[in-house]
Amino acid sequence: MTQRDHPGVAVPPPLIYFAFLAVGWGLDRQGVQLGLGDTLDLSFGLATELRRGIALVLIIGGLLLDGMSAGLFRRLGTAVEPWKPSTALATEGPYRFSRNPIYVGFAITYAGLAVAMDSPVALVLLIPCLLVVDRFVIQKEETYLAAKFGGEYAAYRDKVRRWL
């Protein structure tokens, strides 16, 4: 039997974020049923221009962080996708501050999209989304990296936080 050379992540992480965002937006569009046929429509209560400005800053910031992080993987010649083998350990750039800057970037972009859609429910669902990513993606990746890179990864893990 051959040993697999990847973390064994079953679902691409962007799909996890997208699924939670879509469910939150869908629930928000349904409104909160108050009983007796009344529905509470939720919103952030922000002026459209302000909401769009906040959303734009968050979306661009998240995408820039993702681009910088993924770009470093490409420069190191290692795969960004968690279903492919890692050939190098990224510890520079955004990886000096977070072991998972791509997932932080996804979360920032997600928050921006939730604000853009005026969907408080979607924004609240970011919390369970991050728990799912942490448990079913990051933990698998960290177990894989510890086995693949040994002491080098352990030293990095001891020095840099998982999220921020």
Side-chain angles (χ1 to χ4, degrees):
M1 182 190 292
T2 60
Q3 180 78 9
R4 71 167 194 243
D5 187 16
H6 58 83
V9 174
V11 178
L15 289 181
I16 296 169
Y17 285 88
F18 178 75
F20 275 90
L21 184 66
V23 167
W25 179 79
L27 290 172
D28 227 345
R29 298 294 66 100
Q30 292 294 317
V32 176
Q33 296 297 320
L34 299 175
L36 302 174
D38 294 330
T39 302
L40 174 64
D41 291 320
L42 299 174
S43 79
F44 290 111
L46 299 173
T48 301
E49 297 80 21
L50 177 60
R51 186 173 47 80
R52 287 181 181 165
I54 292 168
L56 186 63
V57 168
L58 290 170
I59 293 167
I60 290 172
L63 291 175
L64 284 172
L65 180 56
D66 286 339
M68 288 174 22
S69 303
L72 179 59
F73 271 45
R74 298 288 186 227
R75 283 191 300 282
L76 292 172
T78 193
V80 175
E81 304 86 358
W83 52 88
K84 293 183 178 177
S86 291
T87 57
L89 187 59
T91 60
E92 305 166 1
Y95 292 90
R96 291 177 305 175
F97 308 105
S98 170
R99 296 195 311 262
N100 297 285
I102 291 176
Y103 301 143
V104 172
F106 286 169
I108 293 168
T109 302
Y110 176 115
L113 291 169
V115 170
M117 296 184 304
D118 202 16
S119 179
V121 174
L123 189 59
V124 168
L125 287 183
L126 178 56
I127 295 168
C129 175
L130 293 175
L131 293 172
V132 167
V133 169
D134 190 71
R135 172 65 176 91
F136 296 103
V137 177
I138 293 173
Q139 286 186 17
K140 287 183 176 200
E141 290 177 345
E142 291 195 338
T143 299
Y144 167 74
L145 292 171
K148 177 112 182 182
F149 296 105
E152 182 183 4
Y153 181 72
Y156 171 67
R157 184 186 62 224
D158 291 344
K159 187 172 69 170
V160 178
R161 293 176 185 228
R162 179 177 281 171
W163 289 98
L164 292 176

